[in-house]
PDB file of all heavy atoms in Angstrom:
ATOM      1  N   ALA A1112     101.859 148.592 189.845  1.00  0.00           N
ATOM      2  CA  ALA A1112     102.361 147.659 190.854  1.00  0.00           C
ATOM      3  C   ALA A1112     101.651 147.822 192.196  1.00  0.00           C
ATOM      4  O   ALA A1112     101.557 146.868 192.973  1.00  0.00           O
ATOM      5  CB  ALA A1112     103.869 147.843 191.037  1.00  0.00           C
ATOM      6  N   TYR A1113     101.107 149.007 192.454  1.00  0.00           N
ATOM      7  CA  TYR A1113     100.414 149.257 193.722  1.00  0.00           C
ATOM      8  C   TYR A1113      99.189 148.354 193.901  1.00  0.00           C
ATOM      9  O   TYR A1113      98.714 148.149 195.020  1.00  0.00           O
ATOM     10  CB  TYR A1113      99.977 150.720 193.825  1.00  0.00           C
ATOM     11  CG  TYR A1113      99.196 151.216 192.632  1.00  0.00           C
ATOM     12  CD1 TYR A1113      97.834 150.972 192.517  1.00  0.00           C
ATOM     13  CD2 TYR A1113      99.819 151.915 191.614  1.00  0.00           C
ATOM     14  CE1 TYR A1113      97.113 151.397 191.421  1.00  0.00           C
ATOM     15  CE2 TYR A1113      99.105 152.362 190.507  1.00  0.00           C
ATOM     16  CZ  TYR A1113      97.757 152.101 190.413  1.00  0.00           C
ATOM     17  OH  TYR A1113      97.052 152.531 189.315  1.00  0.00           O
ATOM     18  N   ALA A1114      98.682 147.782 192.807  1.00  0.00           N
ATOM     19  CA  ALA A1114      97.526 146.879 192.893  1.00  0.00           C
ATOM     20  C   ALA A1114      97.869 145.605 193.654  1.00  0.00           C
ATOM     21  O   ALA A1114      96.964 144.874 194.084  1.00  0.00           O
ATOM     22  CB  ALA A1114      97.015 146.534 191.500  1.00  0.00           C
ATOM     23  N   LEU A1115      99.164 145.331 193.847  1.00  0.00           N
ATOM     24  CA  LEU A1115      99.568 144.162 194.622  1.00  0.00           C
ATOM     25  C   LEU A1115      99.302 144.364 196.110  1.00  0.00           C
ATOM     26  O   LEU A1115      99.302 143.401 196.880  1.00  0.00           O
ATOM     27  CB  LEU A1115     101.062 143.872 194.409  1.00  0.00           C
ATOM     28  CG  LEU A1115     101.468 143.405 193.009  1.00  0.00           C
ATOM     29  CD1 LEU A1115     102.979 143.368 192.876  1.00  0.00           C
ATOM     30  CD2 LEU A1115     100.867 142.038 192.710  1.00  0.00           C
ATOM     31  N   VAL A1116      99.104 145.632 196.509  1.00  0.00           N
ATOM     32  CA  VAL A1116      98.792 145.945 197.907  1.00  0.00           C
ATOM     33  C   VAL A1116      97.437 146.637 197.938  1.00  0.00           C
ATOM     34  O   VAL A1116      97.343 147.850 197.746  1.00  0.00           O
ATOM     35  CB  VAL A1116      99.860 146.854 198.539  1.00  0.00           C
ATOM     36  CG1 VAL A1116      99.553 147.097 200.019  1.00  0.00           C
ATOM     37  CG2 VAL A1116     101.243 146.249 198.381  1.00  0.00           C
ATOM     38  N   PRO A1117      96.335 145.919 198.146  1.00  0.00           N
ATOM     39  CA  PRO A1117      95.009 146.531 198.143  1.00  0.00           C
ATOM     40  C   PRO A1117      94.867 147.562 199.260  1.00  0.00           C
ATOM     41  O   PRO A1117      95.504 147.452 200.314  1.00  0.00           O
ATOM     42  CB  PRO A1117      94.053 145.366 198.374  1.00  0.00           C
ATOM     43  CG  PRO A1117      94.868 144.143 198.470  1.00  0.00           C
ATOM     44  CD  PRO A1117      96.294 144.494 198.435  1.00  0.00           C
ATOM     45  N   THR A1118      94.048 148.589 199.001  1.00  0.00           N
ATOM     46  CA  THR A1118      93.840 149.637 200.006  1.00  0.00           C
ATOM     47  C   THR A1118      93.143 149.077 201.239  1.00  0.00           C
ATOM     48  O   THR A1118      93.453 149.442 202.364  1.00  0.00           O
ATOM     49  CB  THR A1118      93.003 150.785 199.414  1.00  0.00           C
ATOM     50  OG1 THR A1118      91.829 150.233 198.804  1.00  0.00           O
ATOM     51  CG2 THR A1118      93.794 151.539 198.379  1.00  0.00           C
ATOM     52  N   ALA A1119      92.194 148.167 201.060  1.00  0.00           N
ATOM     53  CA  ALA A1119      91.506 147.540 202.196  1.00  0.00           C
ATOM     54  C   ALA A1119      92.287 146.304 202.643  1.00  0.00           C
ATOM     55  O   ALA A1119      92.934 145.640 201.843  1.00  0.00           O
ATOM     56  CB  ALA A1119      90.092 147.148 201.799  1.00  0.00           C
ATOM     57  N   ASN A1120      92.244 146.017 203.932  1.00  0.00           N
ATOM     58  CA  ASN A1120      92.921 144.834 204.460  1.00  0.00           C
ATOM     59  C   ASN A1120      92.141 143.574 204.088  1.00  0.00           C
ATOM     60  O   ASN A1120      91.091 143.307 204.648  1.00  0.00           O
ATOM     61  CB  ASN A1120      93.054 144.924 205.985  1.00  0.00           C
ATOM     62  CG  ASN A1120      94.036 146.004 206.401  1.00  0.00           C
ATOM     63  OD1 ASN A1120      95.025 146.219 205.735  1.00  0.00           O
ATOM     64  ND2 ASN A1120      93.741 146.680 207.496  1.00  0.00           N
ATOM     65  N   LYS A1121      92.673 142.855 203.127  1.00  0.00           N
ATOM     66  CA  LYS A1121      92.008 141.630 202.687  1.00  0.00           C
ATOM     67  C   LYS A1121      92.874 140.429 203.074  1.00  0.00           C
ATOM     68  O   LYS A1121      93.986 140.266 202.584  1.00  0.00           O
ATOM     69  CB  LYS A1121      91.804 141.661 201.161  1.00  0.00           C
ATOM     70  CG  LYS A1121      90.849 142.759 200.702  1.00  0.00           C
ATOM     71  CD  LYS A1121      90.660 142.686 199.201  1.00  0.00           C
ATOM     72  CE  LYS A1121      89.697 143.752 198.707  1.00  0.00           C
ATOM     73  NZ  LYS A1121      89.523 143.703 197.242  1.00  0.00           N
ATOM     74  N   ASN A1122      92.349 139.605 203.959  1.00  0.00           N
ATOM     75  CA  ASN A1122      93.113 138.456 204.439  1.00  0.00           C
ATOM     76  C   ASN A1122      93.339 137.413 203.350  1.00  0.00           C
ATOM     77  O   ASN A1122      94.292 136.651 203.403  1.00  0.00           O
ATOM     78  CB  ASN A1122      92.403 137.806 205.634  1.00  0.00           C
ATOM     79  CG  ASN A1122      92.333 138.746 206.826  1.00  0.00           C
ATOM     80  OD1 ASN A1122      93.249 139.523 207.049  1.00  0.00           O
ATOM     81  ND2 ASN A1122      91.251 138.664 207.593  1.00  0.00           N
ATOM     82  N   ASN A1123      92.447 137.390 202.357  1.00  0.00           N
ATOM     83  CA  ASN A1123      92.550 136.370 201.322  1.00  0.00           C
ATOM     84  C   ASN A1123      93.229 136.898 200.058  1.00  0.00           C
ATOM     85  O   ASN A1123      93.169 136.268 199.010  1.00  0.00           O
ATOM     86  CB  ASN A1123      91.162 135.820 200.975  1.00  0.00           C
ATOM     87  CG  ASN A1123      90.233 136.907 200.451  1.00  0.00           C
ATOM     88  OD1 ASN A1123      90.490 138.088 200.654  1.00  0.00           O
ATOM     89  ND2 ASN A1123      89.167 136.507 199.780  1.00  0.00           N
ATOM     90  N   ASP A1124      93.863 138.064 200.143  1.00  0.00           N
ATOM     91  CA  ASP A1124      94.541 138.602 198.969  1.00  0.00           C
ATOM     92  C   ASP A1124      95.955 138.019 198.882  1.00  0.00           C
ATOM     93  O   ASP A1124      96.658 137.927 199.886  1.00  0.00           O
ATOM     94  CB  ASP A1124      94.613 140.127 199.041  1.00  0.00           C
ATOM     95  CG  ASP A1124      95.184 140.707 197.768  1.00  0.00           C
ATOM     96  OD1 ASP A1124      94.426 140.814 196.782  1.00  0.00           O
ATOM     97  OD2 ASP A1124      96.388 141.031 197.752  1.00  0.00           O
ATOM     98  N   TYR A1125      96.368 137.631 197.658  1.00  0.00           N
ATOM     99  CA  TYR A1125      97.652 136.978 197.475  1.00  0.00           C
ATOM    100  C   TYR A1125      98.717 137.920 196.917  1.00  0.00           C
ATOM    101  O   TYR A1125      99.783 137.468 196.495  1.00  0.00           O
ATOM    102  CB  TYR A1125      97.482 135.764 196.554  1.00  0.00           C
ATOM    103  CG  TYR A1125      96.420 134.806 197.037  1.00  0.00           C
ATOM    104  CD1 TYR A1125      95.351 134.429 196.223  1.00  0.00           C
ATOM    105  CD2 TYR A1125      96.472 134.284 198.330  1.00  0.00           C
ATOM    106  CE1 TYR A1125      94.376 133.562 196.672  1.00  0.00           C
ATOM    107  CE2 TYR A1125      95.498 133.415 198.788  1.00  0.00           C
ATOM    108  CZ  TYR A1125      94.447 133.055 197.963  1.00  0.00           C
ATOM    109  OH  TYR A1125      93.482 132.199 198.428  1.00  0.00           O
ATOM    110  N   GLY A1126      98.424 139.211 196.906  1.00  0.00           N
ATOM    111  CA  GLY A1126      99.402 140.177 196.410  1.00  0.00           C
ATOM    112  C   GLY A1126     100.689 140.168 197.215  1.00  0.00           C
ATOM    113  O   GLY A1126     101.790 140.266 196.657  1.00  0.00           O
ATOM    114  N   GLN A1127     100.555 140.024 198.543  1.00  0.00           N
ATOM    115  CA  GLN A1127     101.749 140.004 199.396  1.00  0.00           C
ATOM    116  C   GLN A1127     102.620 138.783 199.108  1.00  0.00           C
ATOM    117  O   GLN A1127     103.846 138.836 199.214  1.00  0.00           O
ATOM    118  CB  GLN A1127     101.343 140.032 200.873  1.00  0.00           C
ATOM    119  CG  GLN A1127     100.846 141.379 201.369  1.00  0.00           C
ATOM    120  CD  GLN A1127     101.925 142.460 201.318  1.00  0.00           C
ATOM    121  OE1 GLN A1127     103.114 142.166 201.232  1.00  0.00           O
ATOM    122  NE2 GLN A1127     101.511 143.703 201.358  1.00  0.00           N
TER     123      GLN A1127
END
Side-chain angles (χ1 to χ4, degrees):
Y1113 52 82
L1115 292 171
V1116 183
T1118 51
N1120 291 324
K1121 295 182 179 179
N1122 296 325
N1123 60 342
D1124 186 80
Y1125 306 125
Q1127 286 296 342

